Amino acid sequence: MFGDIAKYVNTADIAIGTMETNFTQEEYSGYLKYNSPRSFAEAVQNTGIDVVSIAHNHSLDYRIQGLKDTKSTLEELGYTIVGAKTTLEEKNYVIREVKGIKIAFLAYTYGFSNAETLSTEDMQYVNQFDQEQVKQDLELARGDADYLCVMMHWGDVNSTSASEEQKKTADFLIENGADMIVGAHPSVPQPMEVKQNAEGENVFVSYSVGNYISSLGYENSNLEMILNIQIRKQAEDGKVILEKVTYTPVYVVDYGTKAENQFVLVDMKETARRYASGETDIVSRKVYDQLVAGVEKLEEIIRRK
């Protein structure tokens, strides 16, 4: 699934994402109660993903034991985990140093799909968005790091527009020190923008990058993007600033149930270019047309105000 796009991930100094599934001893399961084989986590890691948030609405599908199993499985494979903990004494953020820059990663979810079955104690182990707690976390993280990246699980499923609640939450995070916000949950791409904090510094906000890989049948759920974000530490004052953001448009091709690999991620622009140059054996004309239309649609979505 990841062979065509791994090169865009494993060349990064650090790569992040949301792992919206569980890894437990239960049977593998999809819709409503997510559980995946360990081999999937291994495949994702092999693409170069380093830091994953497990703060999402399915974090507690298998209650506390499922959360512990998921966290331990991912940590055994070498992932850095943020967004959930197995003891309440753990910090709500992690620090990774990249080329002399200390980056704090924080992650929060709007809530849980099975909230009515969970106790208050259960929910304490996953970072739910709470303004007072988030404000405190950002303040503590600022004392440990040069740059604060917040990973948000928010928004409306299958909506290609950011909700007013998302925009208000982004403003709150920026007011309280977030330097970058990367969102997930809608299962489709949403706009991205650069906002300014009180000091006039640029803060990048991506409301949703899509799903990276899924078999969902929503309109636009096969449109994804890999963000390439560059930050730089200024020599004169040591301040870390946003320097550049680009993205690779990605498409989830469904080759059908009879294919050896049914779902495959491809670089939309590069694959379409190769097909147009005569490499007609890489995809069909139907897929080529989907890629061309997909690039156009993705660009329209992410620039939407």
Side-chain angles (χ1 to χ4, degrees):
M1 291 189 291
F2 307 116
D4 190 61
I5 50 80
K7 60 188 175 185
Y8 301 113
V9 181
N10 59 30
T11 53
D13 294 310
I14 191 166
I16 68 173
T18 297
M19 185 69 85
E20 194 173 1
T21 189
N22 297 284
F23 301 93
T24 77
Q25 302 303 311
E26 304 285 340
E27 292 183 6
Y28 303 146
S29 178
Y31 186 60
L32 295 181
K33 200 171 182 183
Y34 295 169
N35 188 39
S36 301
R38 181 186 174 102
S39 57
F40 179 78
E42 292 170 346
V44 173
Q45 188 199 42
N46 287 340
T47 69
I49 302 293
D50 303 294
V51 177
V52 290
S53 165
I54 55 172
H56 51 76
N57 55 306
H58 292 284
S59 297
L60 293 168
D61 280 1
Y62 298 87
R63 308 295 288 265
I64 294 298
Q65 189 57 52
L67 180 71
K68 289 180 178 179
D69 290 346
T70 297
K71 191 168 184 285
S72 63
T73 296
L74 294 172
E75 287 176 338
E76 284 169 13
L77 291 172
Y79 288 98
T80 296
I81 306 301
V82 65
K85 50 204 172 192
T86 49
T87 68
L88 296 180
E89 289 71 37
E90 294 174 49
K91 290 181 179 179
N92 289 336
Y93 59 90
V94 296
I95 307 286
R96 289 288 300 269
E97 185 167 341
V98 182
K99 293 184 175 177
I101 299 174
K102 290 183 179 179
I103 306 172
F105 294 97
L106 306 90
Y108 303 92
T109 178
Y110 72 90
F112 307 97
S113 295
N114 60 336
E116 68 283 354
T117 70
L118 302 172
S119 68
T120 302
E121 183 182 359
D122 287 339
M123 293 187 281
Q124 286 182 315
Y125 290 88
V126 179
N127 294 353
Q128 274 189 279
F129 186 83
D130 172 82
Q131 286 194 346
E132 286 304 312
Q133 184 63 57
V134 172
K135 184 176 181 180
Q136 181 181 323
D137 292 344
L138 287 167
E139 186 176 345
L140 287 172
R142 178 59 70 190
D144 292 337
D146 304 308
Y147 204 76
L148 310 185
C149 174
V150 181
M151 302 165 72
M152 285 298 306
H153 207 76
W154 59 0
D156 301 322
V157 171
N158 202 26
S159 173
T160 54
S161 298
S163 67
E164 288 305 310
E165 186 65 26
Q166 282 173 281
K167 293 175 183 178
K168 288 178 184 177
T169 299
D171 288 340
F172 173 84
L173 291 168
I174 293 168
E175 287 167 12
N176 286 280
D179 296 304
M180 181 189 304
I181 303 166
V182 180
H185 177 62
S187 297
V188 294
Q190 289 185 340
M192 53 188 182
E193 62 180 331
V194 174
K195 306 185 78 139
Q196 277 72 45
N197 61 20
E199 289 74 39
E201 297 158 340
N202 290 334
V203 178
F204 175 68
V205 183
S206 175
Y207 289 100
S208 174
V209 295
N211 261 349
Y212 194 58
I213 183 69
S214 78
S215 60
L216 293 174
Y218 302 139
E219 182 183 5
N220 301 313
S221 64
N222 49 9
L223 304 179
E224 328 294 344
M225 56 182 163
I226 299 173
L227 295 174
N228 181 16
I229 304 166
Q230 297 178 35
I231 59 177
R232 174 172 58 86
K233 179 178 280 190
Q234 298 181 133
E236 57 272 21
D237 59 7
K239 183 71 178 175
V240 179
I241 62 169
L242 178 71
E243 185 164 71
K244 184 180 180 182
V245 179
T246 59
Y247 71 95
T248 301
V250 175
Y251 196 87
V252 183
V253 180
D254 182 354
Y255 286 109
T257 56
K258 293 182 180 180
E260 182 180 358
N261 298 305
Q262 181 176 355
F263 298 102
V264 178
L265 287 168
V266 300
D267 173 343
M268 281 197 259
K269 287 185 176 180
E270 176 63 15
T271 305
R273 183 197 65 77
R274 288 172 59 193
Y275 180 92
S277 298
E279 295 183 52
T280 55
D281 58 324
I282 57 170
V283 291
S284 66
R285 177 56 193 250
K286 178 183 177 182
V287 172
Y288 168 77
D289 290 340
Q290 290 173 340
L291 299 180
V292 172
V295 170
E296 208 171 289
K297 182 64 177 177
L298 182 61
E299 290 181 351
E300 185 271 319
I301 289 170
I302 64 176
R303 285 173 172 76
R304 186 178 296 158
K305 296 298 184 184

PDB file of all heavy atoms in Angstrom, residues 160 189-192 220 223-225 247-250 268-269 291-305:
ATOM      1  N   THR A 160     -15.408  18.854   3.818  1.00  0.00           N
ATOM      2  CA  THR A 160     -14.170  19.426   3.286  1.00  0.00           C
ATOM      3  C   THR A 160     -13.975  20.878   3.706  1.00  0.00           C
ATOM      4  O   THR A 160     -13.071  21.558   3.215  1.00  0.00           O
ATOM      5  CB  THR A 160     -14.139  19.314   1.751  1.00  0.00           C
ATOM      6  OG1 THR A 160     -15.327  19.896   1.213  1.00  0.00           O
ATOM      7  CG2 THR A 160     -14.038  17.866   1.305  1.00  0.00           C
ATOM      8  N   PRO A 189      -9.742  15.738   3.112  1.00  0.00           N
ATOM      9  CA  PRO A 189      -8.914  16.929   3.301  1.00  0.00           C
ATOM     10  C   PRO A 189      -9.765  18.152   3.630  1.00  0.00           C
ATOM     11  O   PRO A 189     -10.929  18.243   3.226  1.00  0.00           O
ATOM     12  CB  PRO A 189      -8.214  17.107   1.946  1.00  0.00           C
ATOM     13  CG  PRO A 189      -8.405  15.832   1.224  1.00  0.00           C
ATOM     14  CD  PRO A 189      -9.670  15.242   1.727  1.00  0.00           C
ATOM     15  N   GLN A 190      -9.177  19.079   4.347  1.00  0.00           N
ATOM     16  CA  GLN A 190      -9.791  20.370   4.629  1.00  0.00           C
ATOM     17  C   GLN A 190      -8.757  21.466   4.361  1.00  0.00           C
ATOM     18  O   GLN A 190      -7.581  21.172   4.124  1.00  0.00           O
ATOM     19  CB  GLN A 190     -10.281  20.425   6.078  1.00  0.00           C
ATOM     20  CG  GLN A 190     -11.499  19.555   6.346  1.00  0.00           C
ATOM     21  CD  GLN A 190     -12.047  19.726   7.761  1.00  0.00           C
ATOM     22  OE1 GLN A 190     -11.371  20.190   8.671  1.00  0.00           O
ATOM     23  NE2 GLN A 190     -13.297  19.333   7.950  1.00  0.00           N
ATOM     24  N   PRO A 191      -9.166  22.724   4.388  1.00  0.00           N
ATOM     25  CA  PRO A 191      -8.237  23.818   4.072  1.00  0.00           C
ATOM     26  C   PRO A 191      -7.037  23.891   4.997  1.00  0.00           C
ATOM     27  O   PRO A 191      -7.049  23.331   6.104  1.00  0.00           O
ATOM     28  CB  PRO A 191      -9.112  25.075   4.220  1.00  0.00           C
ATOM     29  CG  PRO A 191     -10.502  24.597   4.019  1.00  0.00           C
ATOM     30  CD  PRO A 191     -10.543  23.214   4.599  1.00  0.00           C
ATOM     31  N   MET A 192      -6.013  24.579   4.529  1.00  0.00           N
ATOM     32  CA  MET A 192      -4.886  24.917   5.388  1.00  0.00           C
ATOM     33  C   MET A 192      -4.590  26.392   5.204  1.00  0.00           C
ATOM     34  O   MET A 192      -4.878  26.971   4.142  1.00  0.00           O
ATOM     35  CB  MET A 192      -3.672  24.043   5.088  1.00  0.00           C
ATOM     36  CG  MET A 192      -3.199  23.967   3.683  1.00  0.00           C
ATOM     37  SD  MET A 192      -1.898  22.680   3.545  1.00  0.00           S
ATOM     38  CE  MET A 192      -1.468  22.822   1.809  1.00  0.00           C
ATOM     39  N   ASN A 220     -14.424  12.194  -1.822  1.00  0.00           N
ATOM     40  CA  ASN A 220     -13.166  12.876  -1.474  1.00  0.00           C
ATOM     41  C   ASN A 220     -12.337  12.141  -0.417  1.00  0.00           C
ATOM     42  O   ASN A 220     -11.269  12.610  -0.050  1.00  0.00           O
ATOM     43  CB  ASN A 220     -13.416  14.320  -0.985  1.00  0.00           C
ATOM     44  CG  ASN A 220     -14.120  15.158  -2.026  1.00  0.00           C
ATOM     45  OD1 ASN A 220     -13.741  15.151  -3.191  1.00  0.00           O
ATOM     46  ND2 ASN A 220     -15.154  15.879  -1.618  1.00  0.00           N
ATOM     47  N   LEU A 223      -8.785  11.285  -1.429  1.00  0.00           N
ATOM     48  CA  LEU A 223      -7.840  12.393  -1.604  1.00  0.00           C
ATOM     49  C   LEU A 223      -7.066  12.596  -0.308  1.00  0.00           C
ATOM     50  O   LEU A 223      -7.659  12.735   0.764  1.00  0.00           O
ATOM     51  CB  LEU A 223      -8.575  13.692  -1.952  1.00  0.00           C
ATOM     52  CG  LEU A 223      -9.484  13.681  -3.181  1.00  0.00           C
ATOM     53  CD1 LEU A 223     -10.133  15.050  -3.350  1.00  0.00           C
ATOM     54  CD2 LEU A 223      -8.711  13.301  -4.429  1.00  0.00           C
ATOM     55  N   GLU A 224      -5.754  12.586  -0.391  1.00  0.00           N
ATOM     56  CA  GLU A 224      -4.903  12.737   0.787  1.00  0.00           C
ATOM     57  C   GLU A 224      -3.755  13.691   0.456  1.00  0.00           C
ATOM     58  O   GLU A 224      -3.551  14.037  -0.706  1.00  0.00           O
ATOM     59  CB  GLU A 224      -4.296  11.387   1.223  1.00  0.00           C
ATOM     60  CG  GLU A 224      -5.145  10.161   0.970  1.00  0.00           C
ATOM     61  CD  GLU A 224      -6.431  10.087   1.785  1.00  0.00           C
ATOM     62  OE1 GLU A 224      -6.546  10.824   2.784  1.00  0.00           O
ATOM     63  OE2 GLU A 224      -7.319   9.301   1.416  1.00  0.00           O
ATOM     64  N   MET A 225      -3.005  14.074   1.476  1.00  0.00           N
ATOM     65  CA  MET A 225      -1.790  14.843   1.204  1.00  0.00           C
ATOM     66  C   MET A 225      -0.735  14.577   2.252  1.00  0.00           C
ATOM     67  O   MET A 225      -1.041  14.304   3.407  1.00  0.00           O
ATOM     68  CB  MET A 225      -2.093  16.339   1.114  1.00  0.00           C
ATOM     69  CG  MET A 225      -2.770  16.940   2.313  1.00  0.00           C
ATOM     70  SD  MET A 225      -3.101  18.688   2.046  1.00  0.00           S
ATOM     71  CE  MET A 225      -4.305  18.997   3.337  1.00  0.00           C
ATOM     72  N   TYR A 247       3.270  20.418  -0.234  1.00  0.00           N
ATOM     73  CA  TYR A 247       2.562  19.160  -0.011  1.00  0.00           C
ATOM     74  C   TYR A 247       2.607  18.294  -1.253  1.00  0.00           C
ATOM     75  O   TYR A 247       2.727  18.784  -2.380  1.00  0.00           O
ATOM     76  CB  TYR A 247       1.111  19.404   0.407  1.00  0.00           C
ATOM     77  CG  TYR A 247       0.219  19.929  -0.699  1.00  0.00           C
ATOM     78  CD1 TYR A 247      -0.552  19.061  -1.467  1.00  0.00           C
ATOM     79  CD2 TYR A 247       0.149  21.296  -0.974  1.00  0.00           C
ATOM     80  CE1 TYR A 247      -1.369  19.538  -2.490  1.00  0.00           C
ATOM     81  CE2 TYR A 247      -0.662  21.782  -1.984  1.00  0.00           C
ATOM     82  CZ  TYR A 247      -1.427  20.898  -2.738  1.00  0.00           C
ATOM     83  OH  TYR A 247      -2.225  21.382  -3.751  1.00  0.00           O
ATOM     84  N   THR A 248       2.538  16.992  -1.041  1.00  0.00           N
ATOM     85  CA  THR A 248       2.432  16.018  -2.117  1.00  0.00           C
ATOM     86  C   THR A 248       0.991  15.514  -2.151  1.00  0.00           C
ATOM     87  O   THR A 248       0.509  14.956  -1.164  1.00  0.00           O
ATOM     88  CB  THR A 248       3.376  14.821  -1.884  1.00  0.00           C
ATOM     89  OG1 THR A 248       4.720  15.293  -1.808  1.00  0.00           O
ATOM     90  CG2 THR A 248       3.250  13.803  -3.020  1.00  0.00           C
ATOM     91  N   PRO A 249       0.262  15.722  -3.270  1.00  0.00           N
ATOM     92  CA  PRO A 249      -1.105  15.208  -3.363  1.00  0.00           C
ATOM     93  C   PRO A 249      -1.100  13.703  -3.585  1.00  0.00           C
ATOM     94  O   PRO A 249      -0.387  13.189  -4.449  1.00  0.00           O
ATOM     95  CB  PRO A 249      -1.684  15.951  -4.576  1.00  0.00           C
ATOM     96  CG  PRO A 249      -0.511  16.316  -5.400  1.00  0.00           C
ATOM     97  CD  PRO A 249       0.657  16.472  -4.475  1.00  0.00           C
ATOM     98  N   VAL A 250      -1.857  12.991  -2.777  1.00  0.00           N
ATOM     99  CA  VAL A 250      -1.853  11.531  -2.775  1.00  0.00           C
ATOM    100  C   VAL A 250      -3.268  11.015  -3.018  1.00  0.00           C
ATOM    101  O   VAL A 250      -4.248  11.638  -2.596  1.00  0.00           O
ATOM    102  CB  VAL A 250      -1.298  10.997  -1.436  1.00  0.00           C
ATOM    103  CG1 VAL A 250      -1.403   9.483  -1.351  1.00  0.00           C
ATOM    104  CG2 VAL A 250       0.156  11.428  -1.262  1.00  0.00           C
ATOM    105  N   MET A 268      -0.294  11.624  -6.892  1.00  0.00           N
ATOM    106  CA  MET A 268      -1.205  11.980  -7.990  1.00  0.00           C
ATOM    107  C   MET A 268      -0.487  12.629  -9.173  1.00  0.00           C
ATOM    108  O   MET A 268      -0.642  12.201 -10.313  1.00  0.00           O
ATOM    109  CB  MET A 268      -2.299  12.918  -7.479  1.00  0.00           C
ATOM    110  CG  MET A 268      -3.421  12.229  -6.741  1.00  0.00           C
ATOM    111  SD  MET A 268      -4.876  13.298  -6.605  1.00  0.00           S
ATOM    112  CE  MET A 268      -4.709  13.874  -4.932  1.00  0.00           C
ATOM    113  N   LYS A 269       0.283  13.657  -8.897  1.00  0.00           N
ATOM    114  CA  LYS A 269       0.911  14.403  -9.991  1.00  0.00           C
ATOM    115  C   LYS A 269       1.953  13.570 -10.728  1.00  0.00           C
ATOM    116  O   LYS A 269       1.990  13.552 -11.963  1.00  0.00           O
ATOM    117  CB  LYS A 269       1.543  15.690  -9.449  1.00  0.00           C
ATOM    118  CG  LYS A 269       0.541  16.762  -9.080  1.00  0.00           C
ATOM    119  CD  LYS A 269       1.250  18.051  -8.674  1.00  0.00           C
ATOM    120  CE  LYS A 269       0.256  19.162  -8.395  1.00  0.00           C
ATOM    121  NZ  LYS A 269       0.922  20.430  -8.001  1.00  0.00           N
ATOM    122  N   LEU A 291      -6.961  10.722 -11.182  1.00  0.00           N
ATOM    123  CA  LEU A 291      -5.834  11.455 -10.603  1.00  0.00           C
ATOM    124  C   LEU A 291      -5.848  12.916 -11.035  1.00  0.00           C
ATOM    125  O   LEU A 291      -5.632  13.818 -10.215  1.00  0.00           O
ATOM    126  CB  LEU A 291      -4.513  10.802 -11.001  1.00  0.00           C
ATOM    127  CG  LEU A 291      -4.288   9.358 -10.544  1.00  0.00           C
ATOM    128  CD1 LEU A 291      -2.922   8.856 -11.011  1.00  0.00           C
ATOM    129  CD2 LEU A 291      -4.406   9.225  -9.038  1.00  0.00           C
ATOM    130  N   VAL A 292      -6.093  13.142 -12.307  1.00  0.00           N
ATOM    131  CA  VAL A 292      -6.122  14.524 -12.818  1.00  0.00           C
ATOM    132  C   VAL A 292      -7.238  15.312 -12.133  1.00  0.00           C
ATOM    133  O   VAL A 292      -7.034  16.449 -11.683  1.00  0.00           O
ATOM    134  CB  VAL A 292      -6.314  14.525 -14.349  1.00  0.00           C
ATOM    135  CG1 VAL A 292      -6.536  15.945 -14.853  1.00  0.00           C
ATOM    136  CG2 VAL A 292      -5.091  13.910 -15.032  1.00  0.00           C
ATOM    137  N   ALA A 293      -8.407  14.703 -12.018  1.00  0.00           N
ATOM    138  CA  ALA A 293      -9.530  15.364 -11.355  1.00  0.00           C
ATOM    139  C   ALA A 293      -9.244  15.537  -9.865  1.00  0.00           C
ATOM    140  O   ALA A 293      -9.624  16.553  -9.259  1.00  0.00           O
ATOM    141  CB  ALA A 293     -10.810  14.555 -11.559  1.00  0.00           C
ATOM    142  N   GLY A 294      -8.548  14.548  -9.280  1.00  0.00           N
ATOM    143  CA  GLY A 294      -8.243  14.599  -7.860  1.00  0.00           C
ATOM    144  C   GLY A 294      -7.312  15.739  -7.495  1.00  0.00           C
ATOM    145  O   GLY A 294      -7.500  16.398  -6.467  1.00  0.00           O
ATOM    146  N   VAL A 295      -6.297  15.982  -8.322  1.00  0.00           N
ATOM    147  CA  VAL A 295      -5.374  17.093  -8.081  1.00  0.00           C
ATOM    148  C   VAL A 295      -6.138  18.406  -8.051  1.00  0.00           C
ATOM    149  O   VAL A 295      -5.950  19.251  -7.163  1.00  0.00           O
ATOM    150  CB  VAL A 295      -4.268  17.134  -9.161  1.00  0.00           C
ATOM    151  CG1 VAL A 295      -3.471  18.432  -9.054  1.00  0.00           C
ATOM    152  CG2 VAL A 295      -3.336  15.942  -9.024  1.00  0.00           C
ATOM    153  N   GLU A 296      -7.016  18.572  -9.019  1.00  0.00           N
ATOM    154  CA  GLU A 296      -7.808  19.802  -9.125  1.00  0.00           C
ATOM    155  C   GLU A 296      -8.699  19.982  -7.899  1.00  0.00           C
ATOM    156  O   GLU A 296      -8.796  21.068  -7.334  1.00  0.00           O
ATOM    157  CB  GLU A 296      -8.664  19.723 -10.403  1.00  0.00           C
ATOM    158  CG  GLU A 296      -9.006  21.068 -11.002  1.00  0.00           C
ATOM    159  CD  GLU A 296      -9.652  20.914 -12.380  1.00  0.00           C
ATOM    160  OE1 GLU A 296      -8.952  20.542 -13.332  1.00  0.00           O
ATOM    161  OE2 GLU A 296     -10.859  21.164 -12.454  1.00  0.00           O
ATOM    162  N   LYS A 297      -9.360  18.896  -7.501  1.00  0.00           N
ATOM    163  CA  LYS A 297     -10.275  18.970  -6.364  1.00  0.00           C
ATOM    164  C   LYS A 297      -9.527  19.247  -5.070  1.00  0.00           C
ATOM    165  O   LYS A 297      -9.968  20.070  -4.245  1.00  0.00           O
ATOM    166  CB  LYS A 297     -11.056  17.648  -6.258  1.00  0.00           C
ATOM    167  CG  LYS A 297     -12.079  17.636  -5.125  1.00  0.00           C
ATOM    168  CD  LYS A 297     -13.178  18.657  -5.336  1.00  0.00           C
ATOM    169  CE  LYS A 297     -14.237  18.590  -4.261  1.00  0.00           C
ATOM    170  NZ  LYS A 297     -15.276  19.623  -4.410  1.00  0.00           N
ATOM    171  N   LEU A 298      -8.392  18.582  -4.876  1.00  0.00           N
ATOM    172  CA  LEU A 298      -7.610  18.782  -3.660  1.00  0.00           C
ATOM    173  C   LEU A 298      -7.137  20.217  -3.544  1.00  0.00           C
ATOM    174  O   LEU A 298      -7.217  20.842  -2.466  1.00  0.00           O
ATOM    175  CB  LEU A 298      -6.424  17.822  -3.628  1.00  0.00           C
ATOM    176  CG  LEU A 298      -5.526  17.889  -2.382  1.00  0.00           C
ATOM    177  CD1 LEU A 298      -6.322  17.551  -1.123  1.00  0.00           C
ATOM    178  CD2 LEU A 298      -4.343  16.939  -2.512  1.00  0.00           C
ATOM    179  N   GLU A 299      -6.645  20.780  -4.638  1.00  0.00           N
ATOM    180  CA  GLU A 299      -6.193  22.169  -4.609  1.00  0.00           C
ATOM    181  C   GLU A 299      -7.321  23.135  -4.277  1.00  0.00           C
ATOM    182  O   GLU A 299      -7.132  24.102  -3.551  1.00  0.00           O
ATOM    183  CB  GLU A 299      -5.538  22.519  -5.957  1.00  0.00           C
ATOM    184  CG  GLU A 299      -4.199  21.824  -6.170  1.00  0.00           C
ATOM    185  CD  GLU A 299      -3.537  22.176  -7.482  1.00  0.00           C
ATOM    186  OE1 GLU A 299      -4.204  22.843  -8.324  1.00  0.00           O
ATOM    187  OE2 GLU A 299      -2.366  21.806  -7.663  1.00  0.00           O
ATOM    188  N   GLU A 300      -8.497  22.823  -4.794  1.00  0.00           N
ATOM    189  CA  GLU A 300      -9.652  23.669  -4.507  1.00  0.00           C
ATOM    190  C   GLU A 300     -10.023  23.600  -3.025  1.00  0.00           C
ATOM    191  O   GLU A 300     -10.329  24.605  -2.395  1.00  0.00           O
ATOM    192  CB  GLU A 300     -10.835  23.230  -5.385  1.00  0.00           C
ATOM    193  CG  GLU A 300     -12.082  24.104  -5.274  1.00  0.00           C
ATOM    194  CD  GLU A 300     -13.041  23.659  -4.181  1.00  0.00           C
ATOM    195  OE1 GLU A 300     -13.245  22.442  -4.043  1.00  0.00           O
ATOM    196  OE2 GLU A 300     -13.572  24.524  -3.457  1.00  0.00           O
ATOM    197  N   ILE A 301      -9.953  22.409  -2.458  1.00  0.00           N
ATOM    198  CA  ILE A 301     -10.326  22.212  -1.053  1.00  0.00           C
ATOM    199  C   ILE A 301      -9.367  22.928  -0.111  1.00  0.00           C
ATOM    200  O   ILE A 301      -9.795  23.656   0.789  1.00  0.00           O
ATOM    201  CB  ILE A 301     -10.361  20.707  -0.701  1.00  0.00           C
ATOM    202  CG1 ILE A 301     -11.560  20.031  -1.379  1.00  0.00           C
ATOM    203  CG2 ILE A 301     -10.434  20.502   0.824  1.00  0.00           C
ATOM    204  CD1 ILE A 301     -11.532  18.513  -1.278  1.00  0.00           C
ATOM    205  N   ILE A 302      -8.074  22.720  -0.294  1.00  0.00           N
ATOM    206  CA  ILE A 302      -7.125  23.233   0.698  1.00  0.00           C
ATOM    207  C   ILE A 302      -6.975  24.759   0.654  1.00  0.00           C
ATOM    208  O   ILE A 302      -6.512  25.372   1.622  1.00  0.00           O
ATOM    209  CB  ILE A 302      -5.739  22.568   0.574  1.00  0.00           C
ATOM    210  CG1 ILE A 302      -5.102  22.893  -0.773  1.00  0.00           C
ATOM    211  CG2 ILE A 302      -5.850  21.070   0.777  1.00  0.00           C
ATOM    212  CD1 ILE A 302      -3.699  22.331  -0.895  1.00  0.00           C
ATOM    213  N   ARG A 303      -7.418  25.381  -0.459  1.00  0.00           N
ATOM    214  CA  ARG A 303      -7.351  26.846  -0.553  1.00  0.00           C
ATOM    215  C   ARG A 303      -8.681  27.513  -0.188  1.00  0.00           C
ATOM    216  O   ARG A 303      -8.787  28.733  -0.223  1.00  0.00           O
ATOM    217  CB  ARG A 303      -6.936  27.233  -1.974  1.00  0.00           C
ATOM    218  CG  ARG A 303      -5.470  26.994  -2.240  1.00  0.00           C
ATOM    219  CD  ARG A 303      -5.083  27.204  -3.698  1.00  0.00           C
ATOM    220  NE  ARG A 303      -3.648  27.157  -3.871  1.00  0.00           N
ATOM    221  CZ  ARG A 303      -2.915  26.056  -3.868  1.00  0.00           C
ATOM    222  NH1 ARG A 303      -3.516  24.889  -3.706  1.00  0.00           N
ATOM    223  NH2 ARG A 303      -1.607  26.088  -4.025  1.00  0.00           N
ATOM    224  N   ARG A 304      -9.660  26.700   0.163  1.00  0.00           N
ATOM    225  CA  ARG A 304     -10.985  27.240   0.496  1.00  0.00           C
ATOM    226  C   ARG A 304     -10.912  28.067   1.760  1.00  0.00           C
ATOM    227  O   ARG A 304     -10.288  27.703   2.746  1.00  0.00           O
ATOM    228  CB  ARG A 304     -11.961  26.071   0.668  1.00  0.00           C
ATOM    229  CG  ARG A 304     -13.411  26.479   0.876  1.00  0.00           C
ATOM    230  CD  ARG A 304     -14.275  25.239   0.975  1.00  0.00           C
ATOM    231  NE  ARG A 304     -14.274  24.478  -0.277  1.00  0.00           N
ATOM    232  CZ  ARG A 304     -14.569  23.190  -0.360  1.00  0.00           C
ATOM    233  NH1 ARG A 304     -14.852  22.508   0.734  1.00  0.00           N
ATOM    234  NH2 ARG A 304     -14.553  22.581  -1.512  1.00  0.00           N
ATOM    235  N   LYS A 305     -11.601  29.176   1.754  1.00  0.00           N
ATOM    236  CA  LYS A 305     -11.633  30.060   2.938  1.00  0.00           C
ATOM    237  C   LYS A 305     -12.834  29.731   3.821  1.00  0.00           C
ATOM    238  O   LYS A 305     -13.851  29.284   3.338  1.00  0.00           O
ATOM    239  CB  LYS A 305     -11.701  31.531   2.502  1.00  0.00           C
ATOM    240  CG  LYS A 305     -10.468  31.998   1.725  1.00  0.00           C
ATOM    241  CD  LYS A 305      -9.215  31.910   2.569  1.00  0.00           C
ATOM    242  CE  LYS A 305      -8.001  32.462   1.826  1.00  0.00           C
ATOM    243  NZ  LYS A 305      -6.758  32.298   2.594  1.00  0.00           N
TER     244      LYS A 305
END
